[in-house]
Amino acid sequence: VQLQASGGGLVQAGDSLRLSCEHSRRTFGTYATGWFRQAPGKEREFVAAISWSGGSTYYADSVKGRFTISRDDAEILSYLQMNSLRPEDTAVYYCAAKRTVYTGKYYLSFREYDYWGQGTLVTVSS
């Protein structure tokens, strides 16, 4: 499985961005998706996760109410809609996928994920 994350960019505080995580090469199977981010000098942290079914989601407290994770079809594993962006959201955002038979389950730890995208940079200026 090869993942492609896209949609990052340079925005001002309060602006919005939508990140996408898609297969760069179509594969069969069911995958839960997660988004993580890593700011310069900091450890990778969990942002949001969604089950394959799309019916179960979970967010880090720091983004709850501002970010929304979703998915719409098999090509796009997930979207991360980011609203009311803050300078502290500046980071490289990574999408990850875990093949699973549990279509209603999401995963929170980066150790649980099998596949990773290359990352997309989000920079929020004040």
Side-chain angles (χ1 to χ4, degrees):
V1 175
Q2 292 181 337
L3 305 181
Q4 181 78 28
S6 61
L10 172 62
V11 297
Q12 293 186 332
D15 285 350
S16 299
L17 280 175
R18 188 175 78 161
L19 306 184
S20 299
C21 180
E22 60 185 303
H23 295 283
S24 58
R25 186 173 61 190
R26 181 75 182 270
T27 59
F28 295 100
T30 55
Y31 298 88
T33 310
W35 286 92
F36 295 78
R37 66 187 182 186
Q38 188 166 20
K42 295 187 177 181
E43 295 185 351
R44 177 171 36 184
E45 65 172 350
F46 169 80
V47 176
I50 189 167
S51 62
W52 170 257
S53 69
S56 299
T57 58
Y58 192 86
Y59 299 91
D61 288 342
S62 59
V63 307
K64 199 173 296 182
R66 301 188 297 122
F67 291 11
T68 302
I69 189 171
S70 63
R71 56 172 298 130
D72 58 9
D73 59 34
E75 295 295 338
I76 301 294
L77 287 174
S78 70
Y79 295 104
L80 185 67
Q81 177 66 44
M82 306 186 296
N83 298 329
S84 302
L85 283 162
R86 304 167 180 169
E88 54 264 38
D89 295 319
T90 294
V92 177
Y93 284 71
Y94 298 91
C95 68
K98 176 179 175 60
R99 187 160 186 167
T100 178
V101 297
Y102 303 106
T103 58
K105 186 175 180 179
Y106 52 74
Y107 300 85
L108 305 184
S109 171
F110 71 89
R111 294 181 179 86
E112 297 182 281
Y113 286 88
D114 306 311
Y115 308 101
W116 291 83
Q118 83 288 358
T120 185
L121 177 62
V122 173
T123 304
V124 185
S125 63
S126 57

